[in-house]
């Protein structure tokens, strides 16, 4: 990687990936659409307004900046996508096709994150294997499965260097929750720091794999800089750090904020999605093929989140 375009730079992953790439010395163009860039992102390097559904405009941006690697982060999150399924398909699949075509024409590598949303009720839920049945029941998951297959197709047919990881729930203090099923694990910290009782939309006993954003950024960068000769899989690698249910993360928070309280008002939509997703992931393939290893423990993440939000709020 030398010259990088990050599409969706103002989103949950992009807002932290762009500064990390720039700090590593890569020329990184922050691509944004409806959500404006923060002043820090805008001032830190070049930026471009990008419509992922405009393939011609996308090729133009790639050519002008001599882009060799595209991080395509444009997507609608799981619960929000269920409310707007056609828009979710348009962005997640038709937008990806434009990125892959632009990459084919301009000889770029492409990273498009997948998700645990690719899995469904028929998938083994404990230590979900790298290679297993993917039969999601949400449009979000369907777009992610399609994205994995399209990315592999462009690698096999055209030689486009496509790579991706299946992210678990991502936890960050930089951007607020944005409509994902695992976002309760971010929202709970805001309530805790504000001294509020948290109203949890996911029932006790529902475990989902999670990861702190620092590790999510490392996963993307490390995969894209890995020697392709070692990659057996490409689209997409299971990656994870830890799993917990609402009671588990509440207990972690009480270790730092002893008087934190929580009650339940289960959201039927998000609960149904959560029940179809894995309890935990087997990420052996990522560890063996490109050296994946998370650095931030659950306790470390809890302390970092509370400290960062206390400073902000």
């Amino acid at each position: 990687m030398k010259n990088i375009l990050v599409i969706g730079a103002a989103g949950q992953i992009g807002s932290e990936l762009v500064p990390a790439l720039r700090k590593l010395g890569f020329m990184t163009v922050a691509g944004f659409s409806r959500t404006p860039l923060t002043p820090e992102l805008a001032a830190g390097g070049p930026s471009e307004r990008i419509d992922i559904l405009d393939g011609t405009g996308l090729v133009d941006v790639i050519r002008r900046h001599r882009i060799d690697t595209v991080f395509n982060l444009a997507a609608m999150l799981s619960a929000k996508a269920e409310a707007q399924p056609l828009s979710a398909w348009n962005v997640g699949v038709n937008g990806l096709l434009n990125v892959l075509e632009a990459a084919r024409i301009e000889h770029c590598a492409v990273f498009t994150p997948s998700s645990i949303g690719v899995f469904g009720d028929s998938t083994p839920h404990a230590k979900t294997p790298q290679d297993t049945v993917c039969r999601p029941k949400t449009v979000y998951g369907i777009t992610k499965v399609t994205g994995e297959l399209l990315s592999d197709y462009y690698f096999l047919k055209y030689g486009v260097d496509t790579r991706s990881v299946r992210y678990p729930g991502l936890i960050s203090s930089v951007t607020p929750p944005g409509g994902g099923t695992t976002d309760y694990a971010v929202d709970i910290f805001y309530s805790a720091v504000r001294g509020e009782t948290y109203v949890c939309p996911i029932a006790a006993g529902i475990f989902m794999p999670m990861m702190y954003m620092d590790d999510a950024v490392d996963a993307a960068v490390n995969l894209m800089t890995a020697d392709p000769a070692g990659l057996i899989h490409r689209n997409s690698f299971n990656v994870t750090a830890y799993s917990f249910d609402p009671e588990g993360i509440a207990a972690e928070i009480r270790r730092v904020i002893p008087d934190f309280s929580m009650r339940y008002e289960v959201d039927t939509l998000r609960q149904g999605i959560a029940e179809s997703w894995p309890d935990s992931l087997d990420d052996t393939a990522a560890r063996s093929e490109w050296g994946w290893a998370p650095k931030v423990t659950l306790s470390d993440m809890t302390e970092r989140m509370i400290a960062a939000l206390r400073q902000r709020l």
Side-chain angles (χ1 to χ4, degrees), residues 173 186-198 253 256-257 259-261 302-313:
S173 63
V186 179
D187 204 22
I188 193 172
F189 284 99
Y190 282 81
S191 292
V193 170
R194 289 176 174 138
E196 303 167 348
T197 296
Y198 180 60
I253 290 172
V256 184
I257 305 175
D259 60 351
F260 170 67
S261 62
T302 301
E303 291 167 10
R304 291 189 193 188
M305 284 292 292
I306 291 171
L309 290 178
R310 276 175 170 167
Q311 187 173 15
R312 279 183 51 202
L313 301 179

Side-chain angles (χ1 to χ4, degrees), residues 141-189:
I142 292 166
T143 64
K144 290 301 185 182
V145 172
T146 305
E148 289 187 11
L149 295 173
L150 282 172
S151 296
D152 272 341
Y153 179 79
Y154 267 75
F155 169 68
L156 293 169
K157 186 172 181 65
Y158 302 116
V160 177
D161 186 356
T162 56
R163 311 181 191 189
S164 67
V165 298
R166 291 174 180 144
Y167 278 128
L170 299 181
I171 302 172
S172 167
S173 63
V174 175
T175 55
T181 300
T182 59
D183 275 353
Y184 90 88
V186 179
D187 204 22
I188 193 172
F189 284 99

Side-chain angles (χ1 to χ4, degrees), residues 269-287:
L269 172 62
R270 297 188 189 204
Q271 178 71 12
I273 295 172
E275 288 176 354
S276 73
W277 286 359
D279 301 338
S280 59
L281 296 175
D282 180 353
D283 58 3
T284 303
R287 290 174 181 269

